Amino acid sequence: MLNRRVVRVRNALVRECLAELLGTFVLLLFGCSAAAQVKTSRDTKGQFLSVNMAFSVGVMSAMYLTKGITGAHLNPAVTLSFCVLGQVPWGRLLPYSLCQVLGAYLASGLVYLVYYDAIMEFSGGVLTVYGPNETASIFATYPSEYMTLGRSFLDQVVGTGMLMLCILGLNEKRNTPAPSKLIPAIVAAIVLGISMSMSANCGGAINPARDLGPRLFTLTAGWGTEVFTCYNYWFWVPLVAPLIGGLIGTFMYLIFIHWHLPDPDPPESLSTLPTISDTIKQPSITWDNGVELKAAHL
């Protein structure tokens, strides 16, 4: 049996990055595997809803797995929003985001290996982004042919904004907080609702890592540079729009809800470190700001 002291990572940032990597890996493994199954079976072993549900189960599983270490961000847009809120140090933003992208990349690679034979049979061995036998959409997201860049950008802003708006209040004690143990399941239901209602236009990425990691994988696995140049270089939309949408949803929550909730009751007593100055009367401490905003992360 392995000795816990030997394998335990002592550096807090490394532990957190490993959790974000593994959580995003689990999320994408569920989602992209479902997409591969539906696509390569030509909708005979699942439908559009199957992919939506698989991604939601992936979110729930990843959150239960990693929530105790990082809060389970799994999404650079979420990490950015919580950095702006002051709940996550800015120094975590880049490491978390890189690990989230890497986790998505690795998951895509495993899905490719598991479904390699099905992908090759479906595509005739030609890996492409366009046409009835395209397989790139198994991994990254792509817009419907009728979508413009502007509408695609709006689509991703709205979807990610709704995500942040709906999850921020789940742990708000002054409102109607969700039971802590049920928060991953509730977040999964929120993601399912968004994907069922807002994914027809552009695939519902609402997560830069969820899109960039798989897109980088397809670039290196045989689909070529077309995964970045197709649809008028559309790839930047699911990278930039979710970041902006997440911030908009965050500020909507603050402006419309958080800043209007009742002030918390002041604590009855404050614990202090014993020092020689304890014998001197200390000035009273007033609490003039709200309780710290905490929420489950996606």
Side-chain angles (χ1 to χ4, degrees):
M1 182 176 180
L2 289 175
N3 190 323
R4 180 172 179 267
R5 293 181 179 179
V6 175
V7 299
R8 177 177 171 83
V9 177
R10 298 186 181 278
N11 185 283
L13 177 58
V14 174
R15 290 200 303 267
E16 294 163 12
C17 286
L18 289 174
E20 286 297 314
L21 187 155
L22 182 61
T24 314
F25 175 88
V26 170
L27 165 60
L28 267 293
L29 187 62
F30 272 95
C32 290
S33 292
Q37 179 172 301
V38 171
K39 169 71 75 171
T40 58
S41 70
R42 302 185 188 275
D43 293 343
T44 61
K45 297 179 180 178
Q47 292 79 37
F48 183 67
L49 179 60
S50 304
V51 181
N52 295 335
M53 294 181 68
F55 269 108
S56 300
V57 172
V59 167
M60 180 178 65
S61 302
M63 287 191 67
Y64 276 121
L65 185 65
T66 64
K67 187 172 179 289
I69 299 177
T70 62
H73 294 202
L74 316 176
N75 184 339
V78 173
T79 303
L80 175 62
S81 295
F82 277 86
C83 286
V84 171
L85 288 171
Q87 303 307 307
V88 175
W90 282 98
R92 269 16 184 203
L93 176 58
L94 182 59
Y96 278 21
S97 298
L98 290 176
C99 288
Q100 290 156 0
V101 172
L102 179 58
Y105 182 97
L106 294 175
S108 300
L110 184 55
V111 171
Y112 179 69
L113 291 176
V114 170
Y115 280 95
Y116 177 83
D117 293 334
I119 290 172
M120 290 302 162
E121 190 279 332
F122 176 85
S123 65
V126 180
L127 304 179
T128 182
V129 176
Y130 297 104
N133 294 328
E134 65 82 18
T135 48
S137 63
I138 290 173
F139 302 96
T141 62
Y142 294 89
S144 298
E145 293 184 0
Y146 55 79
M147 292 297 294
T148 63
L149 281 178
R151 290 287 192 275
S152 298
F153 194 90
L154 176 63
D155 176 272
Q156 290 298 288
V157 167
V158 172
T160 317
M162 287 302 298
L163 172 67
M164 289 305 302
L165 178 63
C166 293
I167 69 175
L168 281 175
L170 293 180
N171 203 31
E172 176 57 74
K173 304 302 182 185
R174 298 176 296 160
N175 200 343
T176 51
S180 178
K181 294 180 181 179
L182 292 181
I183 286 178
I186 295 172
V187 173
I190 293 171
V191 172
L192 178 61
I194 293 173
S195 61
M196 288 178 64
S197 59
M198 304 180 198
S199 61
N201 288 335
C202 306
I206 62 173
N207 182 340
R210 175 263 174 276
D211 189 85
L212 180 59
R215 197 177 299 275
L216 287 172
F217 171 76
T218 52
L219 172 68
T220 58
W223 279 263
T225 58
E226 194 175 43
V227 299
F228 281 95
T229 60
C230 66
Y231 297 104
N232 195 23
Y233 294 88
W234 183 84
F235 78 93
W236 65 271
V237 172
L239 298 183
V240 177
L243 300 175
I244 296 174
L247 292 177
I248 290 175
T250 297
F251 284 109
M252 285 180 64
Y253 176 76
L254 291 176
I255 293 170
F256 287 92
I257 303 296
H258 183 70
W259 291 337
H260 304 288
L261 292 171
D263 292 332
D265 295 329
E268 295 181 0
S269 62
L270 296 175
S271 60
T272 58
L273 293 175
T275 65
I276 192 171
S277 61
D278 288 344
T279 58
I280 305 175
K281 183 178 181 180
Q282 299 294 323
S284 61
I285 299 176
T286 59
W287 293 65
D288 57 0
N289 58 349
V291 294
E292 180 184 13
L293 177 64
K294 294 183 178 179
H297 309 156
L298 173 60

